[in-house]
Amino acid sequence: MKFIVAMPIVDAEKYKNVPGYQQVCRDEAIRRLSHYGCCLRIKPTADKSLHTFMIKPDGRPFLVYKRSDYLSPILALVFIAFMSMIGLQPKLLYAIPAIAVLLFIVWGIVRLARASDRKNKPIVTINKQGITLDIGTYPWNNITNTFIVERKRPYERRRLEFYLIIALTNQQTAVCRINMSHTINDEASELATTITYFRNNYPSDPS
């Protein structure tokens, strides 16, 4: 017989009275995400701890694209090559050009990967009308609240998974996996900041 252990949600008591929070916590998707000892943290997108000053929403649509799966392995290989070259260069005079070349290569790889990603359909679109995911479009007046879920696997200390969850007025929920990060939740923060901006400024835009 196989036992599946579901871990408690971090800070559940803090957000228990936030509209839509209990609805999300009861959802089957959350139960699946918490299996096998995974730690979950669910925060409303209006929570200021999620917001960032790195973007300034101005009413234009905000798009999130799925990152290329091959980017992380390539960057890891470049990093290994970088460290090897540093070790093989006994003099700083020779190491500096090698560092400059490798940094330029990394910059080029990231630029090409982002350009490739933007040729695909965005996984999340936020605009004056509402939020669009692969599974449908949700107008602002049909949304009770929105949340960012941070998932941490017990065997991966630094790697995190982020999900956008929409609590709808019909008691249904919509879930979208955003992207994984090794250290920061940059896209999650940008999403939370943008959603808060649109909800505050265009709560039921008819256009």
Side-chain angles (χ1 to χ4, degrees):
M1 184 176 180
K2 188 176 182 180
F3 293 94
I4 297 177
V5 179
M7 297 296 289
I9 298 171
V10 178
D11 292 337
E13 189 68 21
K14 178 180 179 180
Y15 300 107
K16 66 178 183 180
N17 295 323
V18 173
Y21 189 82
Q22 297 298 331
Q23 175 185 334
V24 167
C25 290
R26 292 192 301 266
D27 192 78
E28 179 62 28
I30 293 297
R31 288 197 290 269
R32 290 196 300 268
L33 290 176
S34 64
H35 287 167
Y36 305 109
C38 292
C39 178
L40 298 187
R41 189 186 303 271
I42 306 174
K43 290 184 179 182
T45 53
D47 193 305
K48 291 184 178 180
S49 67
L50 284 173
H51 296 174
T52 177
F53 294 103
M54 297 303 292
I55 60 169
K56 297 292 183 182
D58 56 6
R60 290 179 294 181
F62 179 80
L63 309 177
V64 177
Y65 296 88
K66 183 178 179 180
R67 288 181 181 173
S68 300
D69 295 333
Y70 57 81
L71 182 58
S72 293
I74 290 176
L75 291 179
L77 290 173
V78 170
F79 177 76
I80 293 172
F82 171 80
M83 296 305 295
S84 300
M85 291 184 69
I86 294 299
L88 292 173
Q89 296 293 341
K91 296 182 179 180
L92 182 62
L93 178 64
Y94 299 111
I96 290 177
I99 294 172
V101 170
L102 283 171
L103 288 176
F104 180 77
I105 292 173
V106 170
W107 176 81
I109 291 172
V110 172
R111 287 289 301 270
L112 288 173
R114 288 180 175 175
S116 176
D117 293 342
R118 280 164 172 72
K119 293 180 181 178
N120 300 321
K121 181 181 178 181
I123 57 174
V124 182
T125 300
I126 304 170
N127 55 30
K128 297 177 182 179
Q129 286 72 47
I131 302 176
T132 298
L133 309 179
D134 287 341
I135 55 177
T137 298
Y138 308 96
W140 293 118
N141 55 6
N142 291 347
I143 296 175
T144 300
N145 212 339
T146 50
F147 300 85
I148 297 294
V149 178
E150 175 188 304
R151 185 191 193 204
K152 184 177 181 181
R153 297 176 184 268
Y155 51 84
E156 295 181 337
R157 293 183 179 181
R158 295 173 64 86
R159 196 172 190 178
L160 302 173
E161 299 173 5
F162 293 96
Y163 297 79
L164 171 65
I165 296 192
I166 305 172
L168 301 168
T169 55
N170 62 1
Q171 298 303 306
Q172 299 295 312
T173 59
V175 182
C176 176
R177 181 174 176 173
I178 307 170
N179 278 310
M180 291 190 292
S181 171
H182 290 284
T183 55
I184 57 175
N185 57 341
D186 48 353
E187 282 186 334
S189 295
E190 291 176 359
L191 263 177
T193 303
T194 306
I195 289 173
T196 301
Y197 168 83
F198 277 106
R199 293 206 73 183
N200 290 341
N201 291 278
Y202 310 97
S204 56
D205 189 88
S207 60

